[in-house]
Amino acid sequence: MIIFLYGNDDFGSRRKLNEIIEQYRTKNPGSFNFYQIDFDSKSKDAFAELKNGALSVSMFPEKKFFVLKNVFSAIKTPLRGVKGKNSQEEEILNFLTRNNLSKDSDAILTFWQEGEPVASNLLFKELIKKPNLVQKFDLPEGCLLEDWIGKEARSHGVQIAP
């Protein structure tokens, strides 16, 4: 199963990500199959960490749960006018396809992206396909922004005037 959260409303998408993580941790307290991998981090090889976790055999019955942050930060966009796939992107796509991770009932991959990826990106196109669960978070504007501010204030026990 693949869940993909992205968009310009980082606050809203991060909140949704935290809800999903909390649901998993409630069902699987003390889970040994929880992996949080930040592809934006320069200190480690995030793709190798994903491969090791996904291909390892677990002694525990719960599903493996991966939170993959900022995968598109690791994929450098090709130069304008240059055709063909990026090798990092191709490697990730091949891994997802070869291991059938979108349909795997024993693994949940949650992709969270800060901001909005380029729509022409091949990995982006793959992640927004069905049966993946996809949610885009746009910044609220106008009346939607006013409503959101009011709801946030009330959730913190504060009343504000319009």
Side-chain angles (χ1 to χ4, degrees):
M1 170 185 221
I2 293 179
I3 301 169
F4 181 36
L5 308 172
Y6 72 100
N8 290 320
D9 181 7
D10 294 338
F11 181 81
S13 65
R14 192 180 312 262
R15 177 180 276 176
K16 182 66 174 180
L17 175 64
N18 290 335
E19 286 175 17
I20 293 169
I21 291 170
E22 189 57 37
Q23 287 174 356
Y24 177 80
R25 288 192 167 158
T26 300
K27 289 180 184 177
N28 304 290
S31 175
F32 291 99
N33 289 320
F34 177 78
Y35 302 86
Q36 190 159 309
I37 305 167
D38 191 350
F39 281 76
D40 210 11
S41 173
K42 307 292 185 240
S43 62
K44 57 187 172 190
D45 186 359
F47 182 64
E49 196 174 337
L50 168 62
K51 282 195 312 191
N52 290 338
L55 299 176
S56 67
V57 178
S58 177
M59 300 180 341
F60 303 100
E62 76 260 1
K63 294 181 181 194
K64 292 181 182 181
F65 186 80
F66 295 87
V67 175
L68 308 172
K69 294 182 175 181
N70 295 311
V71 173
F72 293 93
S73 300
I75 298 171
K76 309 296 183 256
T77 53
L79 297 171
R80 269 180 206 219
V82 177
K83 293 189 178 190
K85 292 185 254 185
N86 176 292
S87 63
Q88 293 167 320
E89 178 183 26
E90 193 170 317
E91 207 174 8
I92 294 169
L93 277 169
N94 287 339
F95 180 74
L96 292 176
T97 307
R98 191 173 50 247
N99 295 294
N100 206 15
L101 291 173
S102 63
K103 295 179 180 123
D104 188 353
S105 61
D106 293 330
I108 301 168
L109 275 72
T110 303
F111 288 83
W112 178 81
Q113 182 63 39
E114 211 167 10
E116 195 164 337
V118 178
S120 63
N121 183 289
L122 295 173
L123 179 59
F124 177 78
K125 289 178 181 179
E126 186 65 31
L127 290 176
I128 61 172
K129 282 183 184 176
K130 292 190 188 239
N132 299 344
L133 301 173
V134 180
Q135 189 169 357
K136 181 179 179 186
F137 292 83
D138 290 320
L139 290 170
E141 295 177 353
C143 293
L144 292 175
L145 179 59
E146 291 173 17
D147 290 345
W148 181 84
I149 292 169
K151 286 177 188 173
E152 279 298 306
R154 284 189 297 280
S155 74
H156 293 287
V158 178
Q159 288 189 333
I160 59 173

